[in-house]
Amino acid sequence: MPVPAEALATLRQLLERPRRVAIVSHYNPDGDAVGSTLGWAHLLKAAGHHARVVLPNTPADFLDWLPGRSEVLCLDRSPDASLSTIRTSDIVFCLDFNRLDRIGGLEDAVRAVKTKVLIDHHQEPEEFASAAFSDTSASSTCQMVVEIAQALGWMEHIDQRTATCLYTGMVTDSGSFRFRSTTPQTMRIAADLLERGVDLDQVHNAISDTNSADRLRLLGFTLQERMTVLPELRTVIIGLGQEELKRFHFKQGDTEGFVNYGLSIKGMRLAAFFMEHPDLVKISLRSKGDLPVDRFLKDHFNGGGHANAAGGRSELSLEATVQRFMSLLPAFLQAHPA
Ligand SMILES: [Mn+2]
């Protein structure tokens, strides 16, 4: 999608003179959240602005090597500096999320800043921004940052460090360029970033080879003991309870990607992952082809996301949540025949 002219004009105007800028992203920031905020911060600095990334909690450590990561403020580690940085900003950029309830303890401080700019690719944005770049077809927020840089004539500012941040987010959010949101334009942008010196080996090693022994054992247990394959529904269901998570010394991020193993079984079109938390059950769905799991989760499990990858939640027990899911599933699948 082309960068919207009206938002671009507003952005140009906002950045006409040097500004103090805070850049925020969602709770449990992923590769796209950290990559896009850092990439955008590098760009703004190169253009003469004062920019600082502020995150609602500390990202997983497999992103620690990203250029500029050590200067990121995290609310859980540095609450005072995080909040005062936002409060004293002229502009807050909101990247890779579109509802202010997605940024945890930063919400009130961000709401209080008058000028907010949204750059995001999730469905159904809340209207809180003075300028909104919302492209639900974009493969990642990092891709959008490059498109905006192109529109602003800022491509010369993308050096190797900036390119590395943005490329990393593009890789993680597109499932290494395999999700349907990956377009020729995605590849052209990735190629442009590669030309600026991204070390492919470094990026892919950092993203892929980060398992702990506990995580691998939890994965082995999950696939062996907690995965149900329903060939007639072309669906795979995985559920994990608190007790099992404790047994394998669960750390945040350990179950990242588990749901994708279900979808990697030949012939499957839907994978569901249910994880019990102390006060709720979180649901991750992945699908292939035309099976809009974001709508399903929005309708039934207080969730949302993308058509082929979405999340939701349930206040019921793990067992009751899976039962409810199973009772709703046949109608959903019938409404979207393969
Ligand atoms: Mn994203």
Side-chain angles (χ1 to χ4, degrees):
M1 213 171 82
V3 174
E6 200 184 329
L8 191 67
T10 308
L11 182 62
R12 272 188 208 282
Q13 207 174 17
L14 286 171
L15 298 176
E16 235 165 22
R17 56 192 169 87
R19 296 293 194 148
R20 289 185 65 85
V21 166
I23 306 167
V24 304
S25 193
H26 58 79
Y27 198 81
N28 290 343
D30 56 10
D32 191 28
V34 181
S36 64
T37 51
L38 283 174
W40 188 233
H42 293 319
L43 275 166
L44 286 170
K45 283 184 198 168
H49 302 280
H50 183 280
R52 197 84 195 257
V53 176
V54 184
L55 297 173
N57 65 334
T58 304
D61 55 15
F62 79 92
L63 298 167
D64 281 355
W65 62 281
L66 283 175
R69 166 66 185 84
S70 60
E71 288 145 54
V72 172
L73 290 168
C74 302
L75 183 67
D76 54 338
R77 302 259 168 103
S78 326
D80 296 342
S82 298
L83 293 174
S84 71
T85 297
I86 289 172
R87 287 191 189 115
T88 56
S89 293
D90 304 315
I91 308 167
V92 175
F93 283 92
C94 300
L95 269 59
D96 201 39
F97 70 95
N98 63 18
R99 284 174 25 199
L100 289 172
D101 62 4
R102 295 280 289 114
I103 56 173
L106 298 176
E107 178 174 351
D108 291 344
V110 169
R111 274 192 198 282
V113 175
K114 197 169 139 251
T115 307
K116 294 184 272 289
V117 179
L118 174 85
I119 304 175
D120 177 63
H121 65 136
H122 294 88
Q123 306 280 342
E124 296 175 25
E126 180 187 326
E127 291 197 9
F128 61 78
S130 323
F133 300 87
S134 167
D135 180 358
T136 57
S137 71
S139 71
S140 61
T141 299
C142 284
Q143 176 178 329
M144 295 180 66
V145 166
V146 177
E147 288 166 344
I148 292 168
Q150 285 169 340
L152 288 170
W154 281 11
M155 290 306 280
E156 71 195 76
H157 293 324
I158 300 189
D159 59 9
Q160 186 189 355
R161 299 172 79 234
T162 311
T164 299
C165 295
L166 295 171
Y167 184 84
T168 299
M170 290 186 74
V171 172
T172 54
D173 246 32
S174 66
S176 300
F177 302 111
R178 66 167 290 189
F179 298 158
R180 280 211 300 179
S181 55
T182 303
T183 61
Q185 163 79 345
T186 309
M187 293 304 205
R188 276 190 283 268
I189 288 175
D192 187 316
L193 294 175
L194 284 185
E195 276 172 348
R196 290 163 204 265
V198 176
D199 181 342
L200 274 190
D201 225 31
Q202 182 190 32
V203 172
H204 286 271
N205 287 342
I207 292 169
S208 310
D209 303 336
T210 60
N211 283 311
S212 66
D214 277 331
R215 178 182 187 268
L216 271 196
R217 292 200 172 93
L218 175 62
L219 174 63
F221 168 85
T222 304
L223 298 180
Q224 171 69 24
E225 303 289 338
R226 293 291 180 265
M227 182 174 81
T228 307
V229 183
L230 306 165
E232 67 285 0
L233 297 176
R234 300 176 62 192
T235 295
V236 174
I237 291 177
I238 299 171
L240 278 177
Q242 277 289 303
E243 192 193 316
E244 297 142 358
L245 294 171
K246 274 184 201 137
R247 197 190 322 161
F248 291 94
H249 312 107
F250 172 78
K251 285 203 297 291
Q252 191 207 312
D254 276 357
T255 57
E256 192 76 43
F258 278 20
V259 64
N260 297 317
Y261 285 92
L263 209 56
S264 76
I265 297 175
K266 192 174 176 184
M268 296 298 122
R269 64 189 295 237
L270 176 63
F273 179 56
F274 300 85
M275 183 160 135
E276 187 182 41
H277 288 247
D279 48 356
L280 81 168
V281 173
K282 284 199 180 169
I283 307 165
S284 299
L285 296 185
R286 299 289 183 273
S287 68
K288 282 186 177 163
D290 180 23
L291 192 58
V293 291
D294 56 338
R295 251 179 282 158
F296 177 78
L297 288 174
K298 184 167 175 279
D299 289 346
H300 303 295
F301 290 99
N302 192 23
H306 306 288
N308 293 115
R313 52 180 59 211
S314 157
E315 322 271 271
L316 302 171
S317 71
L318 179 60
E319 214 171 70
T321 300
V322 174
Q323 264 173 23
R324 177 143 188 272
F325 174 81
M326 287 304 298
S327 71
L328 296 163
L329 184 59
F332 173 58
L333 294 176
Q334 270 160 32
H336 303 277

